[in-house]
Amino acid sequence: MSKRRPSIDPSQLGFTFTPPVPASREADLAGLDRVVAASVAAALKDDPRSRHEVAGAVSSLLDDTVSKAMLDAYASEARDAHNISAGRLFAVIAVTKRFDLLDSLCRRIGAAVLVGEELQTARLGHLKAQRQRLDDEIRALRTTVQPIERGQR
């Protein structure tokens, strides 16, 4: 029997400026629990620390106990009864620094993730777009405006 393919495609984890499409059609999010579990598995697999160490770091970050066995259950696509909560998923992402996995998950609902200073890059692009819009408006007004001459004779 061949090994089952994970629910995430590692080649689709790179950052892209392509706007994600919001999930809105029937079954757009079908199987999302498996994809989340596969994301947790990928984050744990690629981290150089043992699962015990990652569990300790997640526990510390949350100030709540998260064991290696719990991480194993969260990472298993076959364990339907052990889905990870959003808070614990965020903690696993933060501890493993696998923001690409979070971005991949968010893109399924039409959002994207910016991390740290990447937000400054987005802000710069936003400001440039605003400046361009204002420059276009100024150019359009120049062709129609007349000087204001009130009360001058």
Side-chain angles (χ1 to χ4, degrees):
M1 186 156 122
S2 67
K3 189 173 180 182
R4 192 191 57 72
R5 268 190 12 225
S7 296
I8 56 170
D9 180 0
S11 69
Q12 296 179 341
L13 294 178
F15 184 80
T16 175
F17 287 102
T18 305
V21 178
S24 60
R25 298 177 318 224
E26 187 172 331
D28 270 355
L29 297 178
L32 187 58
D33 290 338
R34 284 186 41 226
V35 176
V36 169
S39 297
V40 171
L44 296 172
K45 178 182 176 216
D46 295 340
D47 196 282
R49 296 169 289 183
S50 72
R51 288 193 179 188
H52 287 287
E53 292 171 307
V54 173
V58 169
S59 296
S60 176
L61 191 60
L62 292 173
D63 193 25
D64 191 15
T65 302
V66 177
S67 67
K68 178 208 177 277
M70 293 166 91
L71 290 180
D72 291 342
Y74 297 151
S76 172
E77 294 181 48
R79 289 185 167 174
D80 293 336
H82 292 89
N83 294 329
I84 190 169
S85 69
R88 288 183 178 198
L89 174 64
F90 291 157
V92 168
I93 295 297
V95 164
T96 61
K97 297 183 178 15
R98 287 301 307 270
F99 302 108
D100 57 331
L101 294 168
L102 181 59
D103 183 62
S104 176
L105 291 170
C106 287
R107 285 179 180 275
R108 291 175 169 269
I109 62 166
V113 173
L114 294 175
V115 180
E117 294 298 316
E118 293 172 353
L119 192 57
Q120 298 302 325
T121 303
R123 174 84 174 132
L124 179 61
H126 174 71
L127 290 172
K128 285 182 175 183
Q130 282 184 312
R131 182 172 61 192
Q132 183 64 51
R133 184 184 53 79
L134 290 172
D135 288 345
D136 292 347
E137 189 175 340
I138 289 168
R139 266 191 296 285
L141 281 173
R142 279 189 179 141
T143 63
T144 61
V145 297
Q146 297 295 318
I148 300 173
E149 297 177 11
R150 293 188 204 153
Q152 298 176 3
R153 296 185 202 243

